[in-house]
Amino acid sequence: PEITDDWICPVEAKEELLDECETIWKQMEECQSKLMLLGTETLLKSNAKLSLLMMQVKALTAEYYQWQKRSPELISSNPDVLLTLGKEELQKVMNDLEMVLSTVQSRNKQLEEDLKREQQWHEEQEQILDALNGIEEETKIQVEQLPPKSLNEAFYELQSKMLKLKMYKEELLNALGDFLGEHFPLPEKDRSAKKKIICFVRFLNLILFIFQMLINKLMSTPHEPYITISDAFWPPYIELLLRYGIALRHPEDPNRMRLEAFH
C-alpha cells in the first residue's frame, strides 16, 4: 500500500509511547546511580595505564556477552505506534531509494549519450575506412593496368611537378621575405637571399610568440590581462598587432598591452 503523509498517530498511542520512554529513562538513571555507588577500583601507581586498559577490556567483554544474550525488544506493543514507526521507516527507505533511482537514471542517460557519440564516431571512422579502401583498390587496379613505360613516365612527371613546386615555394618565400623586409624588417641589417627566407619564418615565430603570451596572460589572470612591452619585442610587430585590433594598449601606460576581448 502507498504511504500517505496525511496519516496521524492517535493521541493515546503517542501518550503510551511517551510513558514507556519515561519508564526506560528512569531505569537508565537507576542503573547510572548504582554504577556511581560501586565506585572504581584502585589502580597501581607502577602500571596505572595497563590496569586501566585491562579494566576497559573486562567492561567491554561483559557488555559484549550481555548484548549477545539480549534479544531485540519492541518499543511498544501498541499496533498504532508500531504502524506509525513502520510508516516513518518505510518513508525514509522510499526517499533513499528515490534518490538512488534518480542518480542511476541520470547516470544511464549520460551513458546513453556517450554511447550514441561513440557509435556515431565509429560509423564515421568506418565510412572513412571504406572510402580509403576503395581508393586503394582503384589505385591498385590503375597501377596494374599501366605498362612499365607509363609507370616511368608518371614517375618522371611527378618528379617534375615536385621540382616546380619547390621552385614556386622558393619564389613565394623570397617574395614574402622582400615584403616583410620592407614593412617589418628584422633587427639585423643583412639583406641576403637566405635572410629574406628566414625573415618570413622569424616574423611568424615572433608574432605567434607575442600572441601566445597575450593569450596565456588573459587566461591566467583575466582581471589583469596586460603584459609589459620589453626590448625583446620588435616595434613593427607590436604596431601590427595594435593596428589591426588584435591587441590594445593600456589607457594609462603605453608600455603595456593586452589581447582584444573578442568574446
Side-chain angles (χ1 to χ4, degrees):
E2 296 183 356
I3 300 173
T4 58
D5 296 333
D6 56 352
W7 191 87
I8 302 175
C9 180
V11 178
E12 296 179 356
K14 288 185 177 180
E15 292 179 354
E16 182 180 349
L17 183 59
L18 290 174
D19 292 338
E20 292 184 4
C21 291
E22 289 179 358
T23 304
I24 295 173
W25 181 254
K26 289 179 180 179
Q27 292 176 358
M28 291 178 61
E29 289 181 343
E30 292 177 359
C31 292
Q32 183 69 23
S33 301
K34 292 179 181 180
L35 290 174
M36 294 295 293
L37 292 174
L38 291 175
T40 58
E41 298 180 3
T42 305
L43 301 178
L44 299 177
K45 295 183 180 179
S46 59
N47 202 355
K49 188 175 181 179
L50 179 60
S51 300
L52 180 60
L53 291 175
M54 292 299 294
M55 290 173 58
Q56 291 179 355
V57 169
K58 290 179 181 179
L60 291 174
T61 305
E63 186 178 358
Y64 168 72
Y65 286 122
Q66 188 66 25
W67 278 107
Q68 278 191 335
K69 294 178 181 178
R70 186 174 180 180
S71 58
E73 297 179 0
L74 295 177
I75 297 176
S76 176
S77 58
N78 192 319
D80 294 332
V81 175
L82 296 177
L83 181 60
T84 304
L85 295 176
K87 284 181 176 292
E88 291 179 356
E89 290 296 327
L90 288 176
Q91 187 67 42
K92 291 179 182 179
V93 173
M94 188 177 68
N95 293 336
D96 294 339
L97 292 177
E98 286 178 352
M99 291 179 60
V100 173
L101 178 61
S102 177
T103 304
V104 171
Q105 289 177 345
S106 176
R107 180 61 178 169
N108 288 341
K109 185 178 180 181
Q110 183 66 32
L111 290 176
E112 288 177 358
E113 293 177 356
D114 295 342
L115 179 61
K116 289 180 181 178
R117 285 196 297 268
E118 293 294 334
Q119 288 177 345
Q120 184 178 1
W121 178 84
H122 181 67
E123 292 175 357
E124 292 176 354
Q125 295 300 316
E126 286 184 345
Q127 293 176 1
I128 294 173
L129 182 61
D130 293 338
L132 292 176
N133 290 334
I135 295 173
E136 183 182 5
E137 292 296 332
E138 292 178 359
T139 305
K140 285 183 180 179
I141 294 173
Q142 292 177 1
V143 170
E144 291 175 357
Q145 292 177 352
L146 290 175
K149 185 177 180 181
S150 299
L151 289 175
N152 292 332
E153 291 178 355
F155 176 72
Y156 289 128
E157 184 179 356
L158 184 61
Q159 280 188 333
S160 176
K161 289 181 179 180
M162 290 178 61
L163 182 61
K164 290 180 180 179
L165 286 174
K166 288 182 179 179
M167 294 175 62
Y168 178 73
K169 176 185 175 182
E170 292 180 359
E171 292 177 0
L172 185 61
L173 289 176
N174 287 329
L176 290 173
D178 292 336
F179 174 79
L180 295 174
E182 179 180 356
H183 298 282
F184 305 99
L186 290 171
E188 295 84 358
K189 300 298 183 181
D190 193 353
R191 299 288 183 176
S192 62
K194 185 176 180 181
K195 281 290 182 181
K196 290 179 181 179
I197 297 175
I198 295 175
C199 180
F200 175 64
V201 179
R202 287 282 303 277
F203 169 76
L204 291 179
N205 290 336
L206 289 174
I207 288 292
L208 290 175
F209 173 71
I210 299 172
F211 192 62
Q212 185 177 6
M213 287 184 63
L214 292 171
I215 293 176
N216 292 337
K217 185 66 175 177
L218 179 62
M219 297 300 294
S220 60
T221 56
H223 58 282
E224 183 61 30
Y226 290 94
I227 64 171
T228 303
I229 302 174
S230 62
D231 296 336
F233 301 152
W234 192 229
Y237 300 159
I238 301 298
E239 293 299 328
L240 175 66
L241 296 175
L242 296 172
R243 184 186 309 167
Y244 290 99
I246 299 175
L248 295 175
R249 288 190 186 272
H250 194 281
E252 299 178 357
D253 187 359
N255 293 324
R256 301 175 66 194
M257 68 177 184
R258 59 161 291 173
L259 185 69
E260 174 64 52
F262 296 102
H263 61 282

